């Protein structure tokens, strides 16, 4: 089944403790991205990647890192999480440059930083 | 960037009713999708519809790209249709998918 898999689904952590949210897709998509969803602010893009070793900032990249060493994986790294990073996170992927193809989203990761 | 406006913000329906959700956008687009976010937070892709009309069961969508709007129709609504419906699109050379604020639909039995 074609899908984007995020792990974990739920995570509670403490301020400053490094964490990684994994994202993997099995559709051989070139384009991957991360979004966060917050009440009243909607979904905002954090980072995106056009292909292996190619990443760029979205609208809200501060406090996050990403890497794209393999085509299928696009982990989101919080080096020193803070409470304002409490949010619902989504990974998405698309074929080609994403221009003419739909995006597939993962099931989401609900992160709480205390 | 491209602006996305959805209406209405909230919609309460009786089971069996029909409804229309609207998405207006400020510029030409080359990708437009409708998503349903269920009560568990999952984003379910409903339609990829940069132009034209598509139907899937009780749902259908129409995008008139030249007039910069898209419509999502829900017919014979069911309680499982409850959730937030998002219009998301990208235009030009921007690889970001811009989301509207969503329409929250509540279907009552």
């Amino acid at each position: 089944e074609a899908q984007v898999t995020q792990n974990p689904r739920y995570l509670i952590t403490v301020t400053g403790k490094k964490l990684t949210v994994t994202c993997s897709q099995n559709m051989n998509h070139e384009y991957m991205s991360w979004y966060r969803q917050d009440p009243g602010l909607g979904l905002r893009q954090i980072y995106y990647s056009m292909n292996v070793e190619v990443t760029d900032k979205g609208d809200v990249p501060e406090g996050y890192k990403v890497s794209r060493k393999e085509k299928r994986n696009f982990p989101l790294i919080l080096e020193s999480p803070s409470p304002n990073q409490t949010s619902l996170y989504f990974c998405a992927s698309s074929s080609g440059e994403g221009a003419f193809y739909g995006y597939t989203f993962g099931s989401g990761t609900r992160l709480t930083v205390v | 960037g491209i602006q996305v406006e959805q209406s209405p913000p909230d919609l309460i329906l009786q089971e069996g009713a029909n409804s229309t959700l609207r998405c207006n956008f400020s510029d030409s687009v080359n990708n437009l999708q409708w998503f349903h976010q269920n009560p568990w937070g999952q984003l379910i892709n409903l339609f990829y519809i940069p132009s034209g009309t598509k139907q899937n069961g009780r749902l259908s969508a129409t995008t008139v790209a030249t007039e910069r709007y898209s419509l999502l129709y829900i017919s014979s609504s069911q309680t499982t249709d409850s959730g937030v419906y998002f219009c998301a699109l990208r235009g030009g050379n921007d690889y970001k998918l811009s989301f509207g604020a969503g329409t929250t639909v509540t279907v009552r039995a």
Side-chain angles (χ1 to χ4, degrees), chain A residues 31 37 97 99-100 103, chain B residues 30 33 37 48 90 95-96:
Chain A
Y31 180 85
Q37 184 179 19
E97 295 182 336
F100 303 106
Y103 290 73
Chain B
N30 50 34
Q33 288 180 258
Q37 187 167 37
Y48 167 70
R90 57 163 288 192
Y95 294 107
K96 177 180 65 179

Side-chain angles (χ1 to χ4, degrees), chain B residues 86-98:
Chain B
F86 289 103
C87 167
L89 47 87
R90 57 163 288 192
N93 294 319
D94 190 348
Y95 294 107
K96 177 180 65 179
L97 201 61
S98 295

Side-chain angles (χ1 to χ4, degrees), chain B residues 37-59:
Chain B
Q37 187 167 37
N38 63 24
W40 295 271
Q42 292 178 307
L43 280 170
I44 310 300
N45 182 30
L46 298 176
F47 293 103
Y48 167 70
I49 186 165
S51 63
T53 297
K54 290 186 178 179
Q55 179 153 9
N56 184 2
R58 297 180 296 102
L59 301 181

Side-chain angles (χ1 to χ4, degrees), chain A residues 5-39:
Chain A
T5 303
Q6 288 180 234
N7 280 298
R9 290 292 309 278
Y10 302 92
L11 179 60
I12 300 175
T13 190
V14 296
T15 299
K17 185 177 181 181
K18 181 179 178 180
L19 66 92
T20 299
V21 183
T22 63
C23 174
S24 180
Q25 49 94 4
N26 62 0
M27 296 166 281
N28 201 37
H29 284 171
E30 287 84 3
Y31 180 85
M32 298 184 75
S33 64
W34 277 101
Y35 288 81
R36 61 178 288 174
Q37 184 179 19
D38 303 289

Side-chain angles (χ1 to χ4, degrees), chain B residues 6 21 34-37 46 59 72 74 80-87 101-105:
Chain B
Q6 290 186 244
L21 283 59
W34 283 96
F35 293 92
H36 174 218
Q37 187 167 37
L46 298 176
L59 301 181
L72 178 70
I74 305 174
T80 52
D81 295 331
S82 295
V84 184
Y85 290 80
F86 289 103
C87 167
T103 294
T104 300
V105 173

Side-chain angles (χ1 to χ4, degrees), chain B residues 46-77:
Chain B
L46 298 176
F47 293 103
Y48 167 70
I49 186 165
S51 63
T53 297
K54 290 186 178 179
Q55 179 153 9
N56 184 2
R58 297 180 296 102
L59 301 181
S60 62
T62 295
T63 297
V64 184
T66 53
E67 297 187 25
R68 299 182 182 168
Y69 72 89
S70 183
L71 303 174
L72 178 70
Y73 306 96
I74 305 174
S75 65
S76 305
S77 58

